[in-house]
Amino acid sequence: MFGRLFLHHARRRLHSSGTASSVPLSTPTFAIFGANTGVGKTLVSAGLAAALLCSPSPSVSSVSYLKPLQTGYPVDSDARFVFSRAPALLRASASPRATRLVASCRTLFPSPAVETKAAEPLHESQEKVVVTYGAGAAEQTKVLACCTAYAWREPVSPHLAAEREGMAVGDDQVKECVAQWLLEENVGEGGAVWKVLETAGGVASPGASGTLQCDLYRPFRLPAILVGDGRLGGISSTLSAYETLLLRGYDVSAVILEDRELSNDKFLLSYLRNRVHVLTLPQVPEDPSDDLTDWFSESSSAFNSLKDALQSFHSRRIERLNSMQRKSKDLLWWPFTQHNLVPQDSVTVIDSRCGENFSVYKIKDKMLVPQFDACASWWTQGPDSNLQIELARDMGYAAARYGHVMFPENVHEPALRSAEVLLGGVGKGWASRVYYSDNGSTAIEIALKMAFRKFCLDHGIMSGSENSTRNERNIQLKVLALNGSYHGDTLGAMEAQAPSAYTSFLQQPWYSGRGLFLDPPTVYTKSEVYNISLPQSMQHDPQTYGDTCFSSQAEVFCKTRDKTFAADLYSSYIKQKLSEFSLSSSSEHLAALIIEPVIQGAGGMLMIDPLFQRVLVSECRSRKIPVIFDEVFTGFWRLGVESASELLGCLPDIACYAKLMTGGIVPLAATLATEEVFESFEGDSKLTALLHGHSYTAHAMGCTAALKAMQWYRDPSTNLNLDADHMKLKELWDGTLVKQLSSLPNVKRVVSLGTICAIELKAEGSDAGYASLYASSLVQQLRKEDDIYIRPLGNVIYLMCGPCTPEDSCTRQLLKVHRRLCELN
């Protein structure tokens, strides 16, 4: 069965390097890794297989063994060793029941070098034996299925063998092989099915492509059995292998090693106490003529203990996963969630993440299923599976080296290097200072304090010392912002945004909205055309306004629009509103402009006309109103460029960054400012300094993650989506599909830019807006049937990927959404 399945799918590539297979948890499945080559992985495989097949309780009906990569073949064939030794061990066992064992061994893809040395073709070669063990007539049938996927003749590392023998094998082919094997059914008569995957060489030995094996098999996150090294130096190699697996998110279920009378096992047992089972095997005879029958007999108790430890591990894992939905409803308080609207069975249980995919546990099916994270884990995630590993390693280094150190008056390399990269990237050409904080909302609060101080000094409201020359209590500083804006959940940040569901009395009774909030024109795609929607408050003559429709997005961003009537209309509207505000009170001042450049995220994925924002910034410049760009959401390639200021064609005085800055792996934020803003806080008194911060300011792990992520995104050798000539991302969402979506009758508008593709469904009354449940059934379909994790903004659904997500992966998700929306019609 497996051979047919695999041969059918072998040449079909997996969706991306981070794509995981569905993993049935009804079948206990373990991966055997070695601390080094030659430590006895195959002996453990054979001994475990025999212990499982001989087990009366729980009864095991089938053991499936897979060796994805084999070198030294056919002289050295680990699958054939398990195939031949396990039945021999069973015959020698004292089984209480007579059993018929059907054992098979297959090699799927031997290299040409193997074929030329063979007496007969080995491609798809299979051996099969039937043995009976135990007393009396056979009462039950069990199955042992052994398989080698790719085999090379030369006994060297797979990457060398593949190169020398002319049979290159990509990671996707190996993972497809494993994926099909995991779904294969090997059924005996009743009882459980167990699966064992044996890797080649050590934990960090290269696979056929050169990818380390601990990385190659990581998408499946199979629990690991680590075969330790009992030789001199084996303690070091075993612990290194153990920590390498942990760093990549593997669960190590047991460590087992040969006793070579060096007490390696005793040291490891002490060192790993309360973390993992450590089991010891007797020393393996060195005589090559020894058939190891006596050794396996002596080792039987250790293999039975290993079997019991694995069974216990698997049972605990399933029990915990099965309980998580219920316990989450009893114990957790989710943000932005009405718990009464979340049935227990709709809670998503996430076992792990690899690249763009969650691994989601489906309780009814007892299956781990890959689910595309279309929320980019709430707008923070940037890594592909490779960057995820790099970030984990670098953060581990920073944690081990620095732990945490306080920041005022201090400096450490991660903070300094990430500041240099920030100023040379998103801050290039305007910023000179980096102020670290913990999250986007806090970064906004800091930006407001910076802007207010700069405004006060520029307009003579304060002298710059603690003894102000004017009555400060009579001064009210407010912001100029846009309706639909969102700048965070802390009290000060909420004051700087327009009234919305987030600022209502139910959510923020202190909210007063300290600002002048303008109605912005928006851009959207409908029926394959880019449209400008003007707010009702912006009076205009349709005949003189000019174009409100464009055939391409490039036309919308083109700076030639600066000389059109639209620019004059925007300028007139802005000046009128500012004039009305200034006449309303002599003590109130608009002391900062704060905008989300181009895209308002939480406001419903609204695209603001970049011309309007550009005119707004220009008007504030002329009035010496400091300009803040809130790029917490839009920064670091979210919109296809490193900074949204590149799309607007203008620069801020202050800008806030977070989310994608660290690859989403840990919270960190930064507020960048010009030297002039920094100088407004200089003085001889500490009271004129910026008195804001938190205990974990510029924490080393966050700065280290930010440094790695920022460099990874802007390097075309690591981010294959980057157009290095223009320093922008390639188009990630298929243009034809986007146009088709915009033409559907149940779609009101589409916004597609950079890593975002948002779709507003046509809805009226209570079916529209943030509180709408209009998209609920569609969302559940996409989650449960299409394996896309979507979380809507009312009647707006969106797909979001990372800067490194492959284009074909985006297209697949978009096709699923398109199909569902067509059905919804």
Side-chain angles (χ1 to χ4, degrees), residues 606-626:
L606 296 170
M607 182 173 172
I608 309 303
D609 187 353
L611 174 61
F612 177 82
Q613 290 190 324
R614 193 157 56 244
V615 171
L616 182 58
V617 169
S618 177
E619 188 60 37
C620 288
R621 285 257 185 269
S622 69
R623 297 168 184 255
K624 289 190 175 181
I625 299 175

Side-chain angles (χ1 to χ4, degrees), residues 720-734:
L720 301 183
N721 290 332
L722 186 64
D723 178 351
D725 293 334
H726 301 93
M727 284 306 288
K728 65 179 183 180
L729 298 184
K730 300 168 185 175
E731 195 69 42
L732 298 178
W733 307 104
D734 183 86

Side-chain angles (χ1 to χ4, degrees), residues 364-377:
K364 291 182 180 179
D365 302 323
K366 289 189 177 180
M367 181 89 72
L368 291 176
V369 176
Q371 195 171 78
F372 182 83
D373 176 13
C375 299
S377 275

Side-chain angles (χ1 to χ4, degrees), residues 676-696:
E676 291 78 10
V677 172
F678 172 75
E679 289 171 353
S680 66
F681 287 85
E682 288 189 311
D684 298 326
S685 170
K686 186 174 182 179
L687 296 180
T688 62
L690 180 46
L691 304 181
H692 195 118
H694 68 114
S695 299
Y696 292 95

Side-chain angles (χ1 to χ4, degrees), residues 27 59 126 168 170 233 254 269 394 444 502 513 558 615 666 710 716 733 747 765:
T27 301
S59 176
Q126 179 172 340
L269 186 62
D394 285 9
I444 293 295
Y502 308 112
C558 184
V615 171
V666 65
M710 289 186 292
W733 307 104
V747 170

Side-chain angles (χ1 to χ4, degrees), residues 44 110 117 119 199 392 415 557 589-590 595 607 634 650 654 731 802:
V44 171
K117 293 287 183 178
T199 62
F557 285 105
H589 301 272
L590 293 175
I595 58 172
M607 182 173 172
T634 61
C650 56
I654 304 163
E731 195 69 42

